[in-house]
Amino acid sequence: MTPIEVRALEFVRDFIDTRGFAPSLVEIAKELEVSRPRVTQLVKALVDQGQLTKEGRKWRSLEIVGVTDLRAVPTSRLQAELGRRGVNLSALAVPETRSWSRHAVTCAVDSCDIVVKRGHLMCRTHWFAVPYAMQEGMKLANSAGDGATYQDLFWRAKEIAARATARKVA
Ligand SMILES: [Zn+2]
């Protein structure tokens, strides 16, 4: 994926997550500041790559496929993305001073009620569904006391883990 494809995919995912339906081509074009023909090409490329699915000609039927988006993003690109948001993970690498999930008793994935050890966020199945770069990002953000970054990564990780399970069941 090219950087602009990653941005497009991210925008579609965030849009679906917050509104419950896919953005229109015009909305994607506006966000990426590209022309209508360019955005059509971009979305088609993502569909061809299997990152997105679309029902016929209905653009609002776009869906994110599985978990390939963030899993496919190498650490350097994730860091670049966090950098774009004003966070530098390497600057957060300070010694851990406190437990980062002291009160967790069941897996953080909403539909999962497996009891986890103190200090663990998720059951093994769900945790291993989270891309390594995100696991590391959460640990670093937590140890640095960067709650905003931690929350952001945690929220995405939870969503990815939940999708991974849903896909297995389906
Ligand atoms: Zn679980």
Side-chain angles (χ1 to χ4, degrees), residues 107 109 112 114 123 126:
C107 178
V109 173
C112 178
I114 292 175
C123 67
H126 281 132

Side-chain angles (χ1 to χ4, degrees), residues 13-74:
R13 188 190 51 221
D14 289 348
F15 193 102
I16 292 173
D17 286 339
T18 52
R19 313 220 194 160
F21 55 91
S24 67
L25 282 186
V26 171
E27 285 160 342
I28 303 172
K30 219 175 183 182
E31 168 69 18
L32 300 179
E33 295 173 326
V34 297
S35 67
R36 176 72 186 261
R38 175 75 179 117
V39 81
T40 307
Q41 197 183 44
L42 264 172
V43 172
K44 275 188 177 147
L46 288 169
V47 172
D48 289 345
Q49 288 169 36
Q51 304 284 2
L52 287 174
T53 59
K54 187 167 77 73
E55 255 182 68
R57 297 178 145 280
K58 288 186 265 171
W59 292 101
R60 293 241 186 230
S61 70
L62 285 175
E63 279 184 13
I64 300 285
V65 176
V67 296
T68 46
D69 52 352
L70 273 173
R71 273 174 193 274
V73 177

